Amino acid sequence: MLKKTLLTTAVAAAGLVTLGQAQAADYTIDTEGQHAFVQFKISHLGYSYILGSFEDFSGEFSYDADDLDASSVDMEVQVSSLNSNHGERDRHILSSDFLNAEEYPTATFTSTGFESTGDDEGVVTGDLTLHGQTQEIEMPVTLMGEGEDPWGGYRAGFEGSTMITLGDFGIDMRDFPEAMHELELYVTFEGIRQ
């Protein structure tokens, strides 16, 4: 009888472990529905701002509210999809003077860690590769919400922003005012649970 009870307990415990692992959900970022954005803001000579976005990107993330340490995100951006609403400027930014999109056609981000800083907030750490160089960055992020959608799926959405120094990625800004040496990167996305 004791052996049977122990076996039943072991099987149940194994089932709980499997169930717990199954709760860590994988999401695909919803770019088809235009519910995701990778945008930037940079000073223009210290007088105004240039705002723009990268319109072609993809990514996935894993999220488990009960095990935030297991959360992760991977994204890939097609650099040539940059759009600042000014064709001539876009061509210049994509040239070898700045992003050199022909030689470095993609930018990637792969998370390496996550630290909770409060309810629905935290800091994601990861490797950003841009202009052929990889640097570790930290990005404060916020869970905007999660739940069922009207089409029978389940979604979760996040936003985050950080400042990056362009020189850290080998982009030479010495001929421009100091205000232009940093860029604000803003990301917001909604993911569909797989």
Side-chain angles (χ1 to χ4, degrees):
M1 179 71 170
L2 181 59
K3 285 184 179 179
K4 185 175 180 182
T5 303
L6 288 172
L7 179 61
T8 302
T9 303
V11 169
L16 287 174
V17 169
T18 303
L19 180 62
Q21 290 171 342
Q23 289 177 345
D26 293 328
Y27 293 78
T28 297
I29 294 174
D30 183 11
T31 54
E32 289 184 18
Q34 287 296 303
H35 299 129
F37 301 90
V38 176
Q39 300 175 320
F40 64 89
K41 176 181 176 181
I42 187 169
S43 173
H44 182 250
L45 305 175
Y47 307 138
S48 183
Y49 289 101
I50 296 170
L51 304 176
S53 62
F54 293 93
E55 299 183 353
D56 185 2
F57 60 93
S58 59
E60 303 82 34
F61 64 92
S62 294
Y63 168 69
D64 181 355
D66 296 323
D67 184 12
L68 293 175
D69 290 340
S71 300
S72 64
V73 60
D74 285 287
M75 294 185 70
E76 181 175 284
V77 174
Q78 303 305 312
V79 174
S80 62
S81 70
L82 178 142
N83 180 4
S84 72
N85 294 312
H86 190 283
E88 184 178 347
R89 176 175 57 216
D90 292 350
R91 286 188 291 275
H92 190 205
I93 294 172
L94 292 171
S95 77
S96 58
D97 288 346
F98 297 105
L99 294 180
N100 199 353
E102 187 172 338
E103 187 170 349
Y104 308 110
T106 61
T108 61
F109 178 78
T110 302
S111 65
T112 56
F114 178 84
E115 179 184 353
S116 176
T117 58
D119 290 344
D120 299 331
E121 295 182 349
V123 176
V124 63
T125 303
D127 293 328
L128 174 64
T129 300
L130 174 67
H131 194 247
Q133 298 196 27
T134 302
Q135 298 289 335
E136 183 178 81
I137 66 166
E138 292 184 348
M139 179 180 286
V141 294
T142 302
L143 171 67
M144 298 175 68
E146 64 175 312
E148 295 180 359
D149 65 26
W151 308 281
Y154 192 91
R155 294 173 180 252
F158 295 85
E159 70 172 345
S161 68
T162 193
M163 298 296 293
I164 63 171
T165 301
L166 296 172
D168 290 346
F169 295 89
I171 300 170
D172 187 358
M173 300 297 290
R174 289 176 295 180
D175 292 339
F176 295 90
E178 191 172 338
M180 296 183 70
H181 294 194
E182 285 191 323
L183 173 147
E184 181 182 359
L185 182 63
Y186 173 75
V187 180
T188 182
F189 53 78
E190 189 175 291
I192 305 169
R193 189 166 68 187
Q194 301 302 292

